[in-house]
Amino acid sequence: MQLVKVSPSFYADCKSNGTEEELLFNEQGRPCVLLLRLKYKGNYRMFVVPLRSNISKTAPKNQYFALPPNKDTKPGNHHGVHYIKLFPVSKEYVQRYEIDGNKFLLQVSSILNSNEKTIVDACQRYLEECEKGNKHPMTPDIDGILKWLHE
């Protein structure tokens, strides 16, 4: 699995298209897991899933893949791949996330690689639920983003 960040221009384009709600953005570039081929509404598309430092302790376990806590994880919360925050993206918005020499990020990358099938399967199941109308209120506007990405 590849850790990437999404370019600031993607978030700016989402804002100009009214699809920025529920996207997780920070100036440094939040690390995301790149999932190249997930099926959504009959087509395979590129999606990213953000890593989050503070997933609520009450979040159901099927909404995230837990990772070791990072320095920003508050006691009782979880750090991990938060499936409900996934969103589509295209290649031009994807940038490499530098992890060279960072022991924590190397550990995270190793865990992600070892659990790739679990993460991809969980994200695919979540997208299937979205197609059925069972989208979590905190999920970004997948359909709205796809509309302007593929115009």
Side-chain angles (χ1 to χ4, degrees):
M1 300 199 95
Q2 187 177 0
L3 281 179
V4 299
K5 62 183 177 179
V6 177
S7 72
S9 62
F10 173 83
Y11 298 102
D13 289 347
C14 283
K15 189 169 186 163
S16 69
N17 286 290
T19 55
E20 79 277 7
E21 191 171 339
E22 295 301 336
L23 287 173
L24 299 172
F25 171 73
N26 66 23
E27 292 295 326
Q28 299 80 26
R30 175 183 298 277
C32 296
V33 177
L34 179 64
L35 302 171
L36 291 177
R37 295 192 34 93
L38 292 177
K39 192 173 185 179
Y40 183 68
K41 296 190 174 178
N43 293 305
Y44 286 95
R45 305 184 186 280
M46 180 184 295
F47 279 83
V48 293
V49 186
L51 299 185
R52 291 192 70 192
S53 299
N54 286 294
I55 300 169
S56 171
K57 58 187 165 198
T58 61
K61 294 220 184 264
N62 68 342
Q63 289 185 358
Y64 66 94
F65 179 83
L67 294 167
N70 70 16
K71 63 180 176 53
D72 296 322
T73 306
K74 296 176 184 166
N77 285 352
H78 306 284
H79 173 240
V81 180
H82 204 185
Y83 307 138
I84 67 167
K85 299 303 272 182
L86 85 170
F87 58 91
V89 69
S90 57
K91 281 187 237 183
E92 67 265 20
Y93 293 110
V94 175
Q95 302 172 341
R96 185 169 185 255
Y97 192 84
E98 299 295 331
I99 62 171
D100 300 333
N102 183 316
K103 288 181 183 180
F104 179 76
L105 288 176
L106 289 168
Q107 177 189 20
V108 165
S109 183
S110 176
I111 292 167
L112 293 171
N113 286 330
S114 299
N115 293 280
E116 181 172 1
K117 182 170 176 22
T118 300
I119 294 166
V120 170
D121 289 349
C123 289
Q124 186 62 68
R125 279 193 306 275
Y126 182 67
L127 281 175
E128 289 165 4
E129 287 301 311
C130 289
E131 286 183 49
K132 295 176 189 173
N134 300 323
K135 184 179 104 168
H136 191 282
M138 288 178 51
T139 299
D141 183 359
I142 295 169
D143 293 318
I145 294 169
L146 284 172
K147 183 178 178 185
W148 68 260
L149 265 181
H150 298 289
E151 286 184 331

